[in-house]
Amino acid sequence: MGETGGMSQPEDDAQHPEPLTPEEEERAAELQRFWEVARSRAGLGRLSAVVGTGVLATVPPPVGRLAAEPALADERLARVLDGTVTAVSAPLEELERAGADLPQADDLWIATDGAGRPRALLRTTGVEVVRLADVDADHVRAEAGHDDVAAWRRETDGALRTALGTEPDDTTPLLVERFVVVFP
C-alpha cells in the first residue's frame, strides 16, 4: 500500500483540470513508459495483438510508495525487489479516511521509489483485515523479513501513531496485503 487519495473534485474542476507542471508531466510520461514495458514483459497484453489494445491495458494501475518517508520507501522497495518483503499493512481507518479503494486479490499496482519513480509492478495475492493483536509471525516475516512480532510492533508503532493521529491498541484494524512482483 502506499500513499492514498481518491477525494472527488467538484464538477467544474473535473471539467477544467489544472494544467500539469513540467515535473508532473515528466512523472506521468515516466509512469506511462514504465507501464508499457511492464505489461509487455509480464505478458499482460497478449490478446491485444488479436483484439486490439483495450483501455485497461493502456491505463496504468494505481501507484503507491511502500512508506511515506522517502528513505524508508527506498529501503522497503529494495527488500521487495530482492524477495525479502512480500506483504504490507496499513491502518484500515487511514485508508477509509483517504477514500482509497481497498485492494482485492489479483489487483495490479505500481510501487515507486522514495522520489516517486515507478520501479515495480506488483500483483496482490491476498487481502485481509486483522486486529493489531492478531498480526502473527508469518505476516511479520513477509512484511519485515524477520518473525519477531514484538519487534515489529515497536518498529511500526510510530508510523501507526502518525497515520491514526492517536495511539494504536490491540483492537486497531489493519489491512494486510500480500503480493508478488510481476515486473521486473
Side-chain angles (χ1 to χ4, degrees):
M1 244 142 319
E3 298 172 328
T4 56
M7 301 298 288
S8 60
Q9 295 290 320
E11 198 167 305
D12 280 349
D13 289 349
Q15 292 176 358
H16 306 287
E18 291 291 319
L20 297 177
T21 66
E23 184 178 280
E24 290 170 330
E25 285 181 8
E26 178 52 34
R27 282 283 180 237
E30 183 178 19
L31 175 64
Q32 192 62 43
R33 287 189 302 269
F34 176 87
W35 173 234
E36 288 170 8
V37 170
R39 72 183 169 85
S40 172
R41 297 240 177 106
L44 299 175
R46 290 186 187 135
L47 285 179
S48 62
V50 176
V51 297
T53 303
V55 172
L56 293 178
T58 60
V59 177
V63 176
R65 285 195 322 206
L66 294 160
E69 190 225 308
L72 185 54
D74 287 341
E75 177 186 320
R76 287 189 179 163
L77 179 61
R79 297 180 80 209
V80 165
L81 293 174
D82 75 12
T84 304
V85 170
T86 59
V88 292
S89 62
L92 184 61
E93 179 183 318
E94 175 189 29
L95 300 169
E96 290 173 338
R97 194 175 352 150
D101 291 334
L102 300 183
Q104 305 291 316
D106 291 327
D107 283 355
L108 293 173
W109 57 287
I110 295 172
T112 66
D113 62 17
R117 292 182 303 266
R119 294 294 182 238
L121 178 62
L122 308 176
R123 180 184 305 278
T124 300
T125 59
V127 179
E128 63 181 316
V129 175
V130 300
R131 296 176 330 131
L132 183 57
D134 296 331
V135 171
D136 60 15
D138 286 337
H139 173 75
V140 171
R141 193 174 309 106
E143 182 173 336
H146 60 77
D147 58 6
D148 186 340
V149 175
W152 177 83
R153 290 272 306 250
R154 287 190 302 275
E155 294 164 3
T156 60
D157 186 62
L160 289 172
R161 200 174 321 113
T162 299
L164 293 167
T166 186
E167 193 70 30
D169 63 36
D170 284 348
T171 65
T172 300
L174 297 180
L175 183 103
V176 174
E177 179 179 7
R178 290 193 176 251
F179 57 82
V180 294
V181 177
V182 176
F183 175 81

